[in-house]
Amino acid sequence: MSRRPDAPPASARVPRFSATERWAHRATAGLMGVCVLTAACLYVPQLAQLVGRRALLVTVHQWAGVALPVPVLAALGSRALRTDLGLLNRFGPHDRRWLLAVLRRDGRRASRPAHKFNAGQKLYAAWVAGATLVMLGTGLMMWFTHLTPLVWRTSATFVHDWLALTLGIVLAGHVGMALADPEARRGMRTGSVTREWAEREHPLWADELMRVPGNSRTRPARTGPRPTTTDSAS
Amino acid sequence: MGRRVLLGTLGLGALGVVAAPALQRGMEAFLGGAAQRDPTGLTDLLPNGGGFRYYSVTSSVPHKDAGSYRLTVDGLVDRPASYSLADLRVLPRTRMVRDVQCVTGWRVPSTAFEGVRLSELLDAAGVRAAAGAVRFTCFDGAYSESLTLEQARRADVLVALRMRDEDLGHAHGGPVRLYVAPMYFYKSAKWLSGITLTKNVRPGYWEERGYDVDAWVGRSNGRDDEPTT
């Protein structure tokens, strides 16, 4: 690859998430947090004993749950989000290498190539989206008890309970990884990351940014890999 | 590919709903066994992990003991009464061992309850002919329940003082709770403080929020649990 002379220095910041994406993330995280907290207070005996107020907690839990997909759906108008969803959806050969390296506990950067999102982030995004919809569906079956036959409802409760536990563990992993990486958090908070971080964590993405200097003002190239866009168009 | 993972998760969720009855039976059997040998109590936190769950509709519930507790019987009766804990403790006791079934799904097998038959207190108060139902109020300040007079006179309806052969603790509705063996457990009002004879049934706390008033286990609330009596 030929580096252009006007490529920004390594300390420069590169845009990662648009304002719309960040707000969608914040709103989703907030609603998910409300769901998890109210669920814990309804479910864990010690917390239930501390908090009480069951009728209120149930109402808050139900409405936060129903609202959970709204921020992302509302943000679909943003080209940046749609582009990122496209990137999350597409798995390439490097993602296979990344996953294999994880399975072999190979921690070397070189064996874990990643574009804007690594394979783990792609799997997480897809699974959490699916799990959220399952939680929504089973939750609605428990809420509107007279819409579905009885057997379904008992079964929905079973799936809702166990998936909640799984989702809680996976979310804890998501938050834990964010806590361990301040620059990744800064990316979600401010929208940009250092070029150094991008080259270290997402080398394929950083390479592509290099080839499209001043990318925030550049239209996607007609040929070649699609660059990351920002929200300037939306 | 990401889309396939998403759809796969959805598919697994749907499959889970279909396979749930079988999975649930297996899980209950396994966790029931594990809970017996689990000193940490962590299995209680798992779905179907067994054990009671604490439900309260208020933010905090006052504590009452032998000194401060009173149970009043009033309404359409000839002889209104107020019982202290000591008064209740000298009355004839009944002990029953039945499963406890919550309308949210959890079931605690073979749980001993001991107390005074409600019919005993009703007879002592002299129920007037106009009375058709019994309303229960609680010292948490919010919860209420009700039974028809016929249901209230059943031999398996107790004013419970003991559970699992121990005095009822605060978390389980102590010092005194109602125990309606054949019905879902929300009928067994915790922290019982008032028994009022009324003309007609007045829906209780959860019943105003959609639960059935006649809450027979297995025949109400759209559920088909195995009856507890």
Side-chain angles (χ1 to χ4, degrees):
Chain A
M1 102 200 88
S2 62
R3 294 207 167 178
R4 314 248 315 214
D6 57 347
S11 61
R13 301 189 70 78
V14 291
R16 184 160 170 83
F17 295 116
S18 73
T20 312
E21 289 177 300
R22 272 144 44 212
W23 277 109
H25 181 261
R26 256 167 232 165
T28 307
L31 288 168
M32 186 64 98
V34 171
C35 282
V36 170
L37 283 179
T38 48
C41 292
L42 287 167
Y43 204 89
V44 181
Q46 290 79 0
L47 288 175
Q49 204 153 345
L50 203 64
V51 178
R53 297 176 200 257
R54 276 195 96 71
L56 174 69
L57 285 175
V58 167
T59 310
V60 173
H61 184 78
Q62 286 167 333
W63 284 102
V66 167
L68 197 49
V70 172
V72 170
L73 291 179
L76 279 179
S78 146
R79 177 184 294 181
L81 178 67
R82 290 200 306 273
T83 307
D84 279 352
L85 288 179
L87 291 173
L88 283 169
N89 184 38
R90 213 173 311 127
F91 280 65
H94 57 278
D95 291 314
R96 179 187 294 272
R97 280 180 58 205
W98 191 95
L99 286 172
L100 282 175
V102 168
L103 289 178
R104 294 191 188 121
R105 302 185 177 278
D106 180 351
R108 286 170 300 166
R109 301 272 171 213
S111 44
R112 293 193 182 191
H115 194 256
K116 185 170 183 181
F117 302 105
N118 65 42
Q121 292 170 317
K122 292 179 186 183
L123 281 180
Y124 170 82
W127 185 82
V128 159
T132 302
L133 292 177
V134 172
M135 291 303 278
L136 185 62
T138 52
L140 287 172
M141 282 160 79
M142 291 152 70
W143 187 355
F144 299 100
T145 47
H146 297 284
L147 288 186
T148 50
L150 159 76
V151 187
W152 287 35
R153 184 143 51 88
T154 320
S155 303
T157 313
F158 176 79
V159 171
H160 200 83
D161 285 1
W162 281 101
L163 189 56
L165 191 65
T166 317
L167 198 51
I169 293 168
V170 172
L171 283 174
H174 176 69
V175 172
M177 282 183 208
L179 285 178
D181 190 343
E183 189 58 23
R185 287 206 310 280
R186 206 166 293 128
M188 194 43 98
R189 200 170 63 245
T190 66
S192 65
V193 292
T194 61
R195 177 165 293 281
E196 198 185 352
W197 181 87
E199 279 168 355
R200 192 177 69 235
E201 300 288 336
H202 300 273
L204 302 178
W205 178 56
D207 281 354
E208 200 171 280
L209 291 178
M210 288 291 205
R211 272 180 268 137
V212 190
N215 57 78
S216 63
R217 287 174 302 281
T218 315
R219 293 274 144 226
R222 300 248 180 265
T223 56
R226 201 194 298 190
T228 321
T229 60
T230 67
D231 225 18
S232 53
S234 68
Chain B
M1 178 64 195
R3 198 170 292 139
R4 261 179 268 167
V5 174
L6 191 156
L7 292 174
T9 312
L10 277 177
L12 273 180
L15 195 69
V17 171
V18 173
L23 287 172
Q24 189 155 22
R25 272 193 299 278
M27 212 56 118
E28 270 167 14
F30 170 72
L31 285 176
Q36 304 287 318
R37 287 183 292 272
D38 173 19
T40 63
L42 283 175
T43 43
D44 282 358
L45 295 180
L46 294 173
N48 318 111
F52 284 90
R53 306 214 174 272
Y54 175 94
Y55 294 166
S56 164
V57 298
T58 61
S59 59
S60 69
V61 181
H63 287 247
K64 301 253 181 182
D65 56 20
S68 55
Y69 179 78
R70 285 292 178 280
L71 174 65
T72 57
V73 182
D74 56 18
L76 299 171
V77 293
D78 293 328
R79 298 175 292 278
S82 172
Y83 293 88
S84 70
L85 204 50
D87 297 337
L88 289 171
R89 279 180 178 152
V90 296
L91 294 173
R93 302 264 189 100
T94 302
R95 183 176 179 274
M96 300 175 56
V97 182
R98 300 279 189 278
D99 290 0
V100 166
Q101 176 72 52
C102 178
V103 74
T104 63
W106 53 266
R107 187 178 182 108
V108 183
S110 309
T111 308
F113 280 89
E114 193 179 329
V116 183
R117 282 209 175 110
L118 177 60
S119 59
E120 188 110 9
L121 299 184
L122 297 179
D123 290 345
V127 177
R128 288 188 194 154
V134 188
R135 178 173 167 80
F136 305 93
T137 47
C138 306
F139 63 79
D140 71 347
Y143 205 74
S144 58
E145 255 309 332
S146 56
L147 293 169
T148 66
L149 192 53
E150 192 192 349
Q151 291 163 359
R153 286 196 188 281
R154 285 177 61 114
D156 51 10
V157 176
L158 305 181
V159 171
L161 304 170
R162 290 165 68 79
M163 187 181 101
R164 291 168 164 172
D165 299 316
E166 288 171 17
D167 286 345
L168 262 176
H170 179 78
H172 287 294
V176 177
R177 78 179 297 166
L178 190 63
Y179 175 61
V180 185
M183 295 197 179
Y184 285 106
F185 210 41
Y186 64 87
K187 298 298 283 192
S188 297
K190 291 194 279 204
W191 307 300
L192 181 67
S193 61
I195 298 173
T196 307
L197 277 290
T198 57
K199 193 163 177 295
N200 300 308
V201 167
R202 285 168 60 187
Y205 182 90
W206 284 119
E207 289 146 16
E208 281 174 357
R209 290 159 179 79
Y211 284 28
D212 287 349
V213 178
D214 295 322
W216 306 106
V217 173
R219 284 186 282 137
S220 64
N221 293 294
R223 295 183 61 92
D224 67 349
D225 307 285
E226 198 182 317
T228 46
T229 56

